[in-house]
Amino acid sequence: MELDINKLENDFQARIDAGENIEPKSWMPEKYRKTHIRQISQHGHSEIVGMLPEGNWITRAPSLRRKVGLLAKVQDEAGHGLYLYSAAETLGISRDELFHQLHTGKAKYSSIFNYPTLSWADIGAIGWLVDGAAIINQVMLTRTSYGPYARAMVRICKEESFHQRQGYEMMLTLCAGTPAQKEMAQDALNRFWWPSIMMFGPRDEESPHTEQAMKWKIKLKTNDELRQQFIDITVPQAEILGLTIPDPDLKWNEETGHYDHGPIDWDEFWQVVKGNGRCNKERLGARVKAWDDGEWVRDAAMAFAEKKEKSKEAKKAS
Amino acid sequence: MENKLYDYILSLGDNSLILGHRLSELCGHGPSLETDIALTNISLDLYGQVRNYFQYAAELAGEDASEDSIAFLRTDRQHKNVWLVEQPNEDFGHVICRQFLFDSFHMPLMKQLCESKDERISAIAKKSIKESSYHERFSSEWMKRLGAGTEVSNQKVQAALDHLYPFVNEFFQETPLDKEMKENGIGGDLPAIKEVYFKNVHALLLEAGLTIPEPDWRQTDGKLGYHSEHLGFILAELQYMQRSYPNSDW
Ligand SMILES: [Fe+2]
Ligand SMILES: [Fe+2]
């Protein structure tokens, strides 16, 4: 028996090493399954909770064109949540259980969404930086070993890059606008820069799961590599906008061919992860409220479907 | 004539504007991801219609008018929408019921406006009618689900219906402008819609196991610019950016 498991695990790893996709019906180590449920659901929850900070500005969007753009964007995120929950379901967990884990705090979501959106420029900054950071992570995940996850990522990446362009274009408009608009844009960058680069997670030394995740191709690059990639892409974009990135230590390093950055406040990061960010309670509270308020609706839909099914059967029988 | 046409277009657009706003408040808070997405879709369709109407109205108004100056810079008294669409999202029952009562009116109106002598209005109606028929199907299906689902859902949607039903009368209140637009072949024929409306609505309510309310009062003045207290708060949010940062491009 021991031997069998060893052989299965070796074959499994060989498939991954050969670049094959793992599909729902394939044999997989229990830990692989659990790790994927955790990561895919965490990703799905981030899409859903991520609707809230941006949703916060839908009713106050400054023009009809922007309102429609934002509504459609937030709706896309709901769609991403759906794809990801479906991918998680292929690993044998129900959507209700996934929600239960989110609502009880057992499952996490990206900490970036625990920061408040205080001005319209935050909507631009989120598209530019947060969707921008998400893409870097997600492009990598299109090559992840678990088939349903990789395929969900391909669909999602197309929309995320549209979101990123839309957000950047909003920032361009603000920066070409009145002094008040430009100030709003700078203020948004000041508040969202550090949380955005924290999105890639803790430093490699403090990321214990990285090695296993890379072996299974859940990760193809480390947190620090992805973070560096994001910074290298984003700094020139900020220059085009004429905005200053709030890091006095940020500078181009000829030798490495990358930007060096100042120290990240990891205390803040862990505080937000633990639930002590500025909006943790509001964000989770809003999700729980939507779920609780919706219970009678979901019950009604279920009861109605059952009644319809029964009357169909009765018709067949008669 | 141009002025009256302008007013008439606004009266069409304002219902979509305010209902679109109410639905947009729900984005991210729906009872399930699927309904969240569907309600946002309806909101997006309504805003699409608003933009078509207001772009046309802005052309008629000339000078500095734009879809945004019309959408964001009018006072409450200048809004021509009915009270029904201002009513808050008390719960999913109210949201669905409000939508159903609106769609049942909007669909036959769009059908008529496809034949409008005004080419632009007719074009907008032809584009909107596909969306409206989808909305009507969605809200009718949900009325049936909630009405015939569980005892709780039946009570909740009945309460919403009892609350909202007195507002539907306003759709059919013919203002002098409505009459003139009907007579010159541009606008809809409200008395004709009224007949279809109650026939269809009653049939669906009965199918959903709901009691048809018999309200002893009926709302009247929204189309004349007299609104509920809700509208002021809607406009405060809607207009916040345009009022705080005038003359800016976004
Ligand atoms: Fe997304
Ligand atoms: Fe996105």
Coordinates of all heavy atoms in Angstrom, one line a residue, chain B residues 31-60:
Chain B
P31 N -28.4 38.6 -3.4 CA -28.6 37.4 -2.7 C -27.8 36.2 -3.2 O -27.6 35.2 -2.5 CB -30.1 37.1 -2.8 CG -30.6 38.0 -3.9 CD -29.6 39.1 -4.1
S32 N -27.4 36.3 -4.5 CA -26.5 35.3 -5.0 C -25.7 35.9 -6.1 O -26.1 37.0 -6.6 CB -27.3 34.1 -5.6 OG -28.0 34.6 -6.8
L33 N -24.6 35.3 -6.5 CA -23.8 35.9 -7.6 C -24.6 36.1 -8.9 O -24.5 37.1 -9.6 CB -22.5 35.1 -7.8 CG -21.4 35.2 -6.8 CD1 -20.3 34.2 -7.2 CD2 -20.8 36.6 -6.9
E34 N -25.4 35.1 -9.2 CA -26.1 35.1 -10.4 C -27.1 36.3 -10.5 O -27.2 37.0 -11.5 CB -26.9 33.8 -10.6 CG -26.0 32.6 -11.0 CD -25.3 32.0 -9.8 OE1 -25.5 32.5 -8.7 OE2 -24.6 30.9 -10.0
T35 N -27.9 36.5 -9.3 CA -28.8 37.6 -9.3 C -28.1 38.9 -9.3 O -28.5 39.9 -9.9 CB -29.8 37.5 -8.1 OG1 -29.0 37.3 -7.0 CG2 -30.8 36.4 -8.3
D36 N -27.0 39.0 -8.6 CA -26.1 40.2 -8.6 C -25.8 40.6 -10.0 O -25.9 41.7 -10.5 CB -24.9 39.9 -7.8 CG -24.3 41.2 -7.2 OD1 -24.0 42.1 -8.0 OD2 -24.0 41.2 -6.0
I37 N -25.3 39.6 -10.8 CA -24.9 39.9 -12.2 C -26.1 40.3 -13.0 O -26.0 41.2 -13.8 CB -24.2 38.6 -12.8 CG1 -22.8 38.4 -12.1 CG2 -24.0 38.7 -14.3 CD1 -22.1 37.2 -12.4
A38 N -27.2 39.6 -12.8 CA -28.4 39.9 -13.6 C -28.9 41.3 -13.3 O -29.3 42.1 -14.3 CB -29.5 38.9 -13.4
L39 N -29.0 41.7 -12.1 CA -29.5 43.1 -11.8 C -28.5 44.1 -12.3 O -29.0 45.2 -12.7 CB -29.7 43.2 -10.2 CG -30.9 42.4 -9.7 CD1 -30.9 42.4 -8.1 CD2 -32.2 42.9 -10.2
T40 N -27.2 43.9 -12.2 CA -26.3 44.8 -12.7 C -26.4 44.9 -14.2 O -26.3 46.0 -14.8 CB -24.8 44.4 -12.4 OG1 -24.7 44.3 -11.0 CG2 -23.8 45.4 -12.9
N41 N -26.7 43.8 -14.9 CA -27.0 43.9 -16.3 C -28.2 44.8 -16.7 O -28.1 45.6 -17.6 CB -27.4 42.5 -16.8 CG -26.3 41.9 -17.7 OD1 -25.5 42.6 -18.2 ND2 -26.3 40.6 -17.8
I42 N -29.2 44.7 -15.9 CA -30.4 45.5 -16.1 C -30.0 47.0 -15.9 O -30.4 47.8 -16.7 CB -31.6 45.1 -15.2 CG1 -32.0 43.7 -15.5 CG2 -32.7 46.0 -15.4 CD1 -33.1 43.1 -14.6
S43 N -29.3 47.2 -14.9 CA -28.8 48.6 -14.6 C -28.0 49.1 -15.8 O -28.2 50.3 -16.2 CB -28.0 48.6 -13.3 OG -27.5 49.9 -13.0
L44 N -27.1 48.3 -16.3 CA -26.3 48.7 -17.4 C -27.1 49.0 -18.7 O -26.9 50.0 -19.4 CB -25.3 47.6 -17.7 CG -24.0 47.6 -16.9 CD1 -23.2 46.3 -17.1 CD2 -23.1 48.8 -17.2
D45 N -28.1 48.1 -18.9 CA -29.0 48.4 -20.1 C -29.7 49.7 -19.9 O -29.9 50.5 -20.8 CB -30.1 47.3 -20.2 CG -29.5 45.9 -20.6 OD1 -28.4 46.0 -21.2 OD2 -30.1 44.9 -20.4
L46 N -30.2 50.0 -18.7 CA -31.0 51.2 -18.5 C -30.1 52.4 -18.7 O -30.5 53.4 -19.3 CB -31.6 51.2 -17.1 CG -32.7 50.2 -16.8 CD1 -33.1 50.1 -15.4 CD2 -33.9 50.5 -17.7
Y47 N -28.8 52.3 -18.2 CA -27.9 53.5 -18.4 C -27.6 53.6 -19.9 O -27.4 54.7 -20.3 CB -26.6 53.3 -17.6 CG -26.8 53.7 -16.1 CD1 -26.6 52.9 -15.1 CD2 -27.2 55.0 -15.9 CE1 -26.7 53.3 -13.8 CE2 -27.3 55.5 -14.6 CZ -27.1 54.6 -13.5 OH -27.2 55.0 -12.2
G48 N -27.5 52.5 -20.6 CA -27.3 52.6 -22.0 C -28.4 53.4 -22.7 O -28.2 54.3 -23.5
Q49 N -29.7 53.1 -22.3 CA -30.8 53.9 -22.8 C -30.7 55.3 -22.4 O -31.0 56.2 -23.3 CB -32.1 53.2 -22.3 CG -32.3 51.8 -22.8 CD -33.4 51.1 -22.0 OE1 -34.2 51.7 -21.2 NE2 -33.5 49.8 -22.2
V50 N -30.4 55.6 -21.2 CA -30.3 57.0 -20.7 C -29.3 57.7 -21.6 O -29.6 58.9 -22.0 CB -29.7 57.0 -19.2 CG1 -29.3 58.4 -18.8 CG2 -30.8 56.5 -18.3
R51 N -28.2 57.1 -21.9 CA -27.2 57.8 -22.7 C -27.7 58.1 -24.1 O -27.5 59.2 -24.6 CB -25.9 57.0 -22.8 CG -25.2 56.8 -21.4 CD -23.9 56.2 -21.6 NE -22.9 57.1 -22.2 CZ -21.7 56.7 -22.5 NH1 -21.2 55.5 -22.3 NH2 -20.9 57.6 -23.1
N52 N -28.4 57.2 -24.7 CA -29.0 57.4 -26.0 C -30.0 58.6 -25.9 O -30.0 59.5 -26.8 CB -29.7 56.2 -26.5 CG -28.7 55.1 -26.9 OD1 -27.6 55.4 -27.3 ND2 -29.1 53.9 -26.8
Y53 N -30.9 58.6 -24.9 CA -31.9 59.6 -24.8 C -31.2 61.0 -24.6 O -31.5 62.0 -25.2 CB -32.8 59.4 -23.6 CG -33.9 58.3 -23.9 CD1 -34.0 57.2 -23.0 CD2 -34.7 58.3 -25.0 CE1 -35.0 56.2 -23.2 CE2 -35.7 57.3 -25.2 CZ -35.8 56.3 -24.3 OH -36.7 55.3 -24.5
F54 N -30.3 61.0 -23.6 CA -29.7 62.3 -23.2 C -28.8 62.9 -24.3 O -28.6 64.1 -24.4 CB -29.0 62.2 -21.8 CG -30.0 62.0 -20.7 CD1 -31.4 62.0 -20.9 CD2 -29.5 62.0 -19.4 CE1 -32.2 61.8 -19.8 CE2 -30.4 61.8 -18.3 CZ -31.8 61.7 -18.5
Q55 N -28.1 62.0 -25.0 CA -27.3 62.5 -26.1 C -28.2 63.2 -27.2 O -27.8 64.3 -27.7 CB -26.5 61.4 -26.8 CG -25.2 61.0 -25.9 CD -24.7 59.6 -26.3 OE1 -25.0 59.1 -27.4 NE2 -23.7 59.1 -25.5
Y56 N -29.3 62.6 -27.4 CA -30.2 63.2 -28.3 C -30.8 64.5 -27.8 O -30.8 65.6 -28.5 CB -31.4 62.2 -28.6 CG -32.4 62.7 -29.6 CD1 -32.2 63.6 -30.6 CD2 -33.7 62.1 -29.5 CE1 -33.1 64.0 -31.5 CE2 -34.7 62.5 -30.4 CZ -34.4 63.4 -31.4 OH -35.4 63.8 -32.3
A57 N -31.2 64.5 -26.5 CA -31.7 65.7 -25.9 C -30.6 66.8 -25.9 O -31.0 68.0 -26.1 CB -32.1 65.4 -24.5
A58 N -29.4 66.5 -25.7 CA -28.3 67.4 -25.7 C -28.1 68.1 -27.0 O -27.9 69.3 -27.2 CB -27.0 66.8 -25.2
E59 N -28.3 67.3 -28.1 CA -28.2 67.8 -29.5 C -29.3 68.9 -29.7 O -29.1 69.9 -30.3 CB -28.3 66.7 -30.5 CG -27.1 65.9 -30.7 CD -27.3 64.7 -31.5 OE1 -28.1 64.7 -32.5 OE2 -26.7 63.6 -31.2
L60 N -30.5 68.5 -29.2 CA -31.6 69.5 -29.3 C -31.4 70.7 -28.5 O -31.7 71.8 -29.0 CB -32.9 68.8 -28.9 CG -33.5 67.6 -29.7 CD1 -34.7 67.0 -29.0 CD2 -33.8 68.1 -31.1

